[in-house]
Amino acid sequence: MSVTLKDVAALAGVSRSAVSRTFTEGASVSAKTRSKVEKAARELGYSPNALASSLTTGRTKLIGLISNNFHNPIFLEVFDQFTRALQERGLRPLIVNLTDETEPANSVRMLRQYSVDAAIVASSTLPPSFAKAFHDAGVPVVHTFGRSATSPEVHVVGIDNVECGRMAARELLARGYRRVGYLGGPEDATSALDRYRGFMEELADHPDIEVSHCFAGAYSFEAGRAEMLRLLANTPSEAYFCGDDILSVGALSALADHGLKPGQDIGIIGLNDMEMSRWESVNLTTIHQPIKQIITSSVDLVVEMLKEPQRYPEARIFPCRVIERGTLRPRP
Amino acid sequence: MSVTLKDVAALAGVSRSAVSRTFTEGASVSAKTRSKVEKAARELGYSPNALASSLTTGRTKLIGLISNNFHNPIFLEVFDQFTRALQERGLRPLIVNLTDETEPANSVRMLRQYSVDAAIVASSTLPPSFAKAFHDAGVPVVHTFGRSATSPEVHVVGIDNVECGRMAARELLARGYRRVGYLGGPEDATSALDRYRGFMEELADHPDIEVSHCFAGAYSFEAGRAEMLRLLANTPSEAYFCGDDILSVGALSALADHGLKPGQDIGIIGLNDMEMSRWESVNLTTIHQPIKQIITSSVDLVVEMLKEPQRYPEARIFPCRVIERGTLRPRP
DNA sequence: TACAAACTTGCAACCGGTTGCAATCGGCAA
DNA sequence: TTGCCGATTGCAACCGGTTGCAAGTTTGTA
């Protein structure tokens, strides 16, 4: 069926070692042998079996990519960036779709069976312990969009969610809103909790401001919409920090139902700055998260870990900034 | 480092074969041996190396998933469904992000190096020859969302795009539009061409109807918006069949710029029925493509091919239907 | 109790490569 | 021509499993 080392060796009239060496970087082969082998390989359409070689080299170039954000459009960008960045470095993404699972055991076992060289946990909702499980099983891991910590147990690349909460609070204050609310993601998501904490901490210094908060059932359009509809049925705040752009878009849809104009009647500020937020029909004021840099950095870090598996855990935190669009009233 | 068959065998006091057998379905092991082995495996935290075993069994359970639709939100759903469906059947998706590449050679070589058991080309834009390249290289392949054909060279699962074009044309006619247009995806995309053909063929029987057409640069919001802005700068038609929901959403955004109400001032019908089309703020009349069934069927077909690699190529074409929402005027 | 059939088990070869080691080769200076 | 040294090459063992085969063990039946 498929053509192997042995076939090429036979045709080229050399040993199997010679063939192996012409296909491995920096091995010792004479120009003559190399050309004989290359000719034979071309004739037979040979390409080395990466999996077989991984047996002896201990490297598969397979990278596990684990996520659970399949209902947030931001994931399109995340996923595009990740797969490209990995490919550019000669690595191969092996996907794990977590869906509703929150226990790492299955993913860990599976990725170990496939001998991935490293794993990337791409999720802002999973706790540090999730990524830690990979580390404990001997799989080098980077938690992208993970909870930032001063002394992380595993590599974390992302943003400071607490600081983002503060930033959102400051922004609402600066625009003169007096009754503000937090509409966060699911209550068990670390990012939702951290953003909540920052938001509340910042406002704790302003006892004159009325603060409310609630958590949506998911980071999704539907959840954001449902939650905002619920809020509008009672007495809503003047402005909301929605813990994610997709929640914001859902909330905007709820406002539209009630004939309310975002920015004028009720303020909304999101977080992420996904592509859709720039659409004219959405035009969402939001906190920009530097997705591209975060992902590039994550993949760079993975590459570093391949060279140095015991590398000391590190947190790479990127700054965010407010992007002014149309869903908050202007600063005075 | 990692614990192997040999370690378990040593601890359990049996041969390596015995250990291998307890971990392979349907092999002959006594209950006593099995329990000894399982105990030892548990103590050592052993799990078999899937890649090593693939060497002898010839099966990796790795499935190449190749796509280039990373800017269309529909891909979120496609990707979610695919990864889940594969996982449920014990298969592992190995991703190839084609980005701008249109030549199969690289992907084929790469997936062969990793000995994938099969490949799924998930793209409505790539020509049949792309998938054919996998077939020719001995990799079983399914082209999902591929061009339907009466005698396909490879397995195709999807919809009849020509018929969808017809359906769109009929729908516009039924609503009394007299000047209609096709706003398609990129001109080199098979789906854009097929939908165009069906649309035109159907209208060829109606010489009194004025027809126009154009192709957007990509299946993306921006491309749809730009194209519709261009159309609005001249004399637009009364209604458009946009060759994809994301083009439609872009087009709707352009209409909004001009203060035009979809459904009232200009009609829009899309294709796909992605989640976003249901959003109240979008509320797009569209042709529903049964994504979930298509993907389930594709994965089922992959499973069949694993059993029977030489299976005769088959086209599985699913019917579409119009979903009535708010962007076409009602039928009289 | 004896014997055949049915199960279990370990040995050894193999899957497709890699790599340490020792032998061989080629080139150059003496 | 000889001797020496570094570059090249093949052998053989190994990576972590699987599997055909033959020997050994049970089990069932007469």
Side-chain angles (χ1 to χ4, degrees), chain A residues 69-82:
Chain A
N69 289 338
F70 289 80
H71 288 282
N72 192 336
I74 191 72
F75 185 67
L76 259 188
E77 301 167 45
V78 167
F79 190 65
D80 185 30
Q81 302 280 350
F82 259 127

Side-chain angles (χ1 to χ4, degrees), chain B residues 15-18 21 28-30 33 55-56:
Chain B
S15 72
R16 297 188 310 144
S17 327
R21 288 189 178 112
S28 163
V29 223
S30 68
T33 311
L55 256 190
T56 35

